[in-house]
Amino acid sequence: MVHTKSGQSGFSLEFSAKEASELGLSADKEYELTKARKGVWVLAETGEGKKEAEKPKITAEKSKIDEAEQKIIGYLKQWPLKDRVEGAFEGKLSAQESPKLAELLKSGRVEKFKLNESYKKAVYRLSGDRKNFDNKERPIQDYSLENDGFLVVKNELRAKELSEQLKDSIKEGKVRGTRSFTGEFFIISMDLLNATQQKILANMKSGPDTELEKLSKETGLTPTLVRIAMEFLKEDGQIIEKRRDHYQYID
C-alpha cells in the first residue's frame, strides 16, 4: 500500500518494493505528487526518503574502533620482529588498542606464532595463508619474489624501477627493501623475513657470536637468505656485524 504525506505543494508518496517494481519506480526513493492543472498531476522523484534514514549511521565509537584496528594491522605489517614479540607488543599499545588486539585474536584475524614450541615467547602476526617459498641457493639473477620470496639486485637503476613497481606492496607492509654495505639491494616478502629473523634470533640467543655459514647450517636456511635477514636485523639494531659475515646479537 502506498504511504502518503501531505506537503506544501502536494503529496509525498512512498511505494513498497512490489508497487515500485510494477510501476517502474525505485523503492528506495520518495516521490512527490503535485497538481499541475485540472486533471493533470505530476509525479516527481524527490530523494532517498525513508530508505536513507534506515541506513545504519557510522558512530564516533565505531570510527574509533575501526581506527584502532587499522593501527594494529599497520603495526603488525611494519614493526620489526623485536617489537611484535608477545609481552613487548602489548606494552606499546594504547588504551584503545589493547582491547581491539584481544578482539582480533578472538576472531582469528591476528595470531600468536612460534616457529618452534621450544621458543619461550610467540610473535604476533596477521593470520592467513602463507606461501612456502623455495629454500634453494641460486645465482643472484635467478631469485624471484614469487618463487624465493626475495630479490637481490646490484644495478641501482634496476633497484629504483623495482621500488616503483612494488611501491604499493611496500606501503602496505607486504615487502621490505634495503641496501647492503657492499652495494646490493635486497627486497624481501615480510612473511619470509619475519619467519627467517625469528629462526636466526632464537639461534643467536643461545650463542650470541656466530658467523653466516654456521647460522645457515643450524637454521637450514640458505646463506643468501641468512645474509638478507641479517641486513635487516642490523638496520633494526638487533645485531652488529663485527667483521665480514661474523655477527653478534645485541641483548
Side-chain angles (χ1 to χ4, degrees):
M1 180 178 178
V2 179
H3 294 278
T4 64
K5 292 186 290 186
S6 296
Q8 292 182 347
S9 56
F11 298 93
S12 175
L13 308 180
E14 294 177 3
F15 297 92
S16 68
K18 182 180 179 182
E19 292 164 343
S21 177
E22 290 174 349
L23 294 170
L25 304 174
S26 171
D28 292 332
K29 304 288 185 180
E30 264 190 6
Y31 295 87
E32 187 176 71
L33 186 64
T34 307
K35 187 174 182 179
R37 62 177 184 271
K38 187 176 181 180
V40 179
W41 291 78
V42 176
L43 184 66
E45 183 180 294
T46 61
E48 294 295 334
K50 67 173 184 178
K51 297 296 181 183
E52 178 69 16
E54 291 171 357
K55 289 181 180 179
K57 303 297 183 183
I58 299 175
T59 64
E61 182 180 357
K62 177 65 175 175
S63 177
K64 287 181 181 178
I65 290 174
D66 290 343
E67 183 180 351
E69 181 174 315
Q70 291 304 311
K71 283 185 176 180
I72 290 174
I73 291 172
Y75 300 155
L76 294 174
K77 287 181 175 180
Q78 298 170 13
W79 282 5
L81 191 69
K82 65 178 181 179
D83 292 334
R84 292 183 292 106
V85 173
E86 185 179 5
F89 185 71
E90 297 93 325
K92 296 179 180 294
L93 301 182
S94 68
Q96 291 75 34
E97 293 162 356
S98 293
K100 175 52 65 175
L101 174 62
E103 287 181 30
L104 292 171
L105 283 166
K106 187 175 181 180
S107 68
R109 291 193 63 194
V110 171
E111 64 184 7
K112 296 178 183 180
F113 171 68
K114 284 186 179 181
L115 279 171
N116 190 302
E117 284 304 316
S118 65
Y119 297 165
K120 291 183 179 180
K121 295 184 178 181
V123 174
Y124 287 104
R125 72 178 184 184
L126 294 173
S127 304
D129 295 330
R130 286 164 178 82
K131 179 177 174 60
N132 292 320
F133 296 109
D134 294 342
N135 184 38
K136 298 178 181 178
E137 195 73 0
R138 312 179 194 274
I140 285 176
Q141 67 274 10
D142 292 343
Y143 288 116
S144 70
L145 278 173
E146 177 63 23
N147 295 322
D148 304 287
F150 63 87
L151 290 167
V152 181
V153 182
K154 289 192 172 182
N155 183 283
E156 187 169 356
L157 181 59
R158 175 60 178 155
K160 288 181 179 179
E161 290 174 352
L162 285 169
S163 295
E164 180 63 25
Q165 292 172 16
L166 297 168
K167 64 180 180 181
D168 290 338
S169 294
I170 293 171
K171 186 177 180 181
E172 293 167 8
K174 294 179 180 178
V175 299
R176 189 175 170 188
T178 192
R179 182 178 185 175
S180 72
F181 180 74
T182 52
E184 297 103 334
F185 294 88
F186 300 133
I187 299 172
I188 186 170
S189 156
M190 280 300 297
D191 283 339
L192 178 60
L193 178 60
N194 290 336
T196 302
Q197 286 181 333
Q198 190 173 12
K199 273 190 175 182
I200 288 171
L201 290 175
N203 181 282
M204 292 187 74
K205 286 175 183 178
S206 61
D209 292 312
T210 189
E211 58 184 16
L212 188 143
E213 288 297 332
K214 184 173 182 286
L215 269 176
S216 177
K217 289 177 182 178
E218 293 180 351
T219 60
L221 302 168
T222 65
T224 298
L225 180 54
V226 171
R227 177 174 284 112
I228 292 171
M230 299 310 257
E231 287 298 323
F232 287 98
L233 287 172
K234 285 195 296 180
E235 191 173 287
D236 295 335
Q238 293 188 260
I239 66 163
I240 58 173
E241 188 171 8
K242 299 172 71 175
R243 58 184 187 277
R244 175 72 172 174
D245 293 342
H246 285 71
Y247 307 98
Q248 180 179 332
Y249 172 70
I250 301 173
D251 196 349

